[in-house]
């Protein structure tokens, strides 16, 4: 059991199906708000200032953690969730129930704040840019060109596995609460049609080597007449439903959801990730991580991605590969090896663990800057 398997009853000339799981974090929302110079940022520090301006309850333990981290210059939501986890360890005496009540207390305020971060005007502007520039379709058709930046590109097998009449089946896991990614990736009539031809039912063209890199498969003129399908999921909640917004910690594999004392604070507990998404990983041919800090509080996703990378291919599943997009404030200031180490730590593995030798050839790291953005999720 895994991804739905399509056949010729849905796509007349289907050759094979490529399942792509893209995990998108807060970095995308930050990128969008920075591009449009919006007043409100999706960073938790900005949300803290919003709460402070509203005279929100300063005794709320989550608000107190925000203030403490802000003073330390820590800006990532994973930092805040890590601080929540630290409250559960000695010498802290803060109980699970008190922390949970604190998260519930700020849900409504956070939903209201997100309406300021992603108002209709921003969604309209972003949607228009995606539509007129075919940004969503180009993200999915030309992203291989980004991977040529990776020092490991020669070992990237995915493009060579593609051809005419293939289905590119994208599942976008939006780890954010806003609909900015959903808006960006919407296949509107300007940039895409379910059926582009009178007789042939293809609706997409995939480019395995859009930059004509000599190490690649084909060249810039190579385009596969193929099929496209997309789906967006929000495992951590959506801004329009305040009580769905999940703040919290990771859950250990195999935890007992009926008795674990910290289950009310575990995102995988509320999102039921084992049931809703766990079965999908075995069918993923390509993982893409974008805009994520790779912190341990989203370790459930990183561990399962890593499990697929280290698994041996068999008749029931593909050889999985991973692309990690990593924003850098300056060119060449981040080494690919360091990004891989961060991913491994987030997955609960030491950077020098022997498993690294088994998986690093399957990991491509795309380091980019604002001055040299990638095609994938470009704004």
């Amino acid at each position: 059991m895994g991804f739905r398997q399509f056949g010729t009853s849905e796509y007349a000339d289907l050759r094979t199906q490529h399942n792509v799981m893209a995990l998108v974090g807060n970095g995308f929302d930050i990128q969008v708000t920075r591009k449009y110079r919006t007043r409100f940022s999706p960073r938790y520090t900005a949300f803290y200032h919003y709460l402070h301006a509203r005279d929100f309850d300063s005794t709320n333990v989550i608000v107190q953690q925000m203030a403490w981290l802000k003073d330390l210059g820590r800006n990532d939501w994973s930092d805040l969730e890590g601080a929540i986890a630290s409250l559960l360890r000695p010498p802290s005496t803060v109980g699970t129930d008190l922390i949970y009540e604190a998260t519930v207390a700020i849900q409504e305020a956070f939903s209201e704040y997100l309406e300021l971060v992603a108002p209709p005007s921003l969604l309209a502007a972003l949607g228009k840019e995606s539509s007129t520039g075919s940004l969503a379709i180009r993200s999915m058709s030309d992203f291989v060109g980004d991977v040529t930046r990776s020092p490991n590109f020669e070992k990237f097998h995915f493009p060579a596995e593609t051809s005419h009449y293939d289905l590119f089946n994208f599942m976008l896991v939006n780890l954010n609460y806003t609909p900015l990614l959903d808006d960006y990736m919407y296949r509107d009539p300007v940039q895409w049609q379910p059926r582009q031809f009178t007789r042939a039912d293809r609706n997409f063209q995939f480019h395995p080597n859009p930059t004509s890199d000599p190490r690649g498969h084909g060249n810039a003129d190579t385009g596969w007449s193929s099929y496209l399908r997309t789906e967006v999921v929000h495992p951590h909640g959506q801004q329009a439903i305040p009580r769905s917004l999940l703040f919290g910690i990771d859950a250990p594999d195999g935890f007992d959801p009926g008795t674990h004392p910290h289950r009310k604070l575990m995102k995988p507990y509320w999102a039921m990730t084992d049931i809703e998404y766990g079965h999908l990983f075995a069918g993923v041919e390509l993982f893409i991580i974008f805009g994520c800090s790779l912190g341990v509080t989203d370790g459930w996703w990183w561990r399962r991605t890593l499990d697929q990378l280290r698994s041996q291919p068999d008749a029931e599943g593909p050889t999985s590969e991973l692309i990690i997009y990593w924003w850098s404030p300056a060119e060449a200031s981040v080494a690919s090896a360091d990004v891989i180490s961060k991913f491994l730590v987030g997955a609960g593995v030491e950077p020098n663990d022997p498993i690294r030798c088994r998986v690093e050839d399957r990991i491509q790291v795309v380091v980019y800057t604002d001055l040299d953005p990638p095609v994938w999720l470009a704004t």
Side-chain angles (χ1 to χ4, degrees), residues 65 68 79-94 99 249:
Q65 292 300 301
W68 174 62
D79 295 325
L80 176 60
E81 291 175 328
I84 293 173
S86 70
L87 291 175
L88 299 170
R89 297 190 293 266
S92 174
T93 58
V94 181
I99 300 172
I249 61 176

Side-chain angles (χ1 to χ4, degrees), residues 76 149 289-295 323-330 333-336 338-340 342-343 364-370 372 374:
D76 292 333
R149 309 182 191 194
I289 297 175
F290 184 95
C292 297
S293 62
L294 302 177
I323 304 170
I324 303 176
Y325 284 85
W326 193 264
W327 176 81
S328 172
S333 64
V334 177
S336 296
D338 293 338
V339 177
I340 293 175
K342 194 169 183 64
F343 167 72
Q364 306 291 331
V365 177
V366 178
V367 178
Y368 66 96
T369 68
D370 289 341
D372 187 23

Side-chain angles (χ1 to χ4, degrees), residues 281-350:
F281 285 78
V284 176
E285 187 173 348
L286 180 64
F287 294 94
I288 300 175
I289 297 175
F290 184 95
C292 297
S293 62
L294 302 177
V296 295
T297 54
D298 284 320
W300 187 92
W301 300 94
W302 317 143
R303 290 194 300 276
R304 277 143 190 83
T305 300
L306 180 61
D307 284 345
Q308 285 307 118
L309 294 179
R310 65 182 177 182
S311 65
Q312 297 299 318
D314 55 40
E316 297 181 359
T319 299
S320 299
E321 296 181 283
L322 166 65
I323 304 170
I324 303 176
Y325 284 85
W326 193 264
W327 176 81
S328 172
E331 186 176 357
S333 64
V334 177
S336 296
D338 293 338
V339 177
I340 293 175
S341 294
K342 194 169 183 64
F343 167 72
L344 293 174
V345 171
V349 175
E350 291 298 321

Side-chain angles (χ1 to χ4, degrees), residues 32 36 38 114-115 117-130 178-184 239:
V32 170
Y36 288 93
T38 60
L114 290 174
E115 293 291 339
V117 172
S121 58
L122 177 58
L123 291 167
L126 178 63
K128 181 178 181 180
E129 182 181 12
S130 175
T178 74
L180 290 173
L181 177 68
D182 312 50
D183 181 33
Y184 181 100
Q239 75 176 57

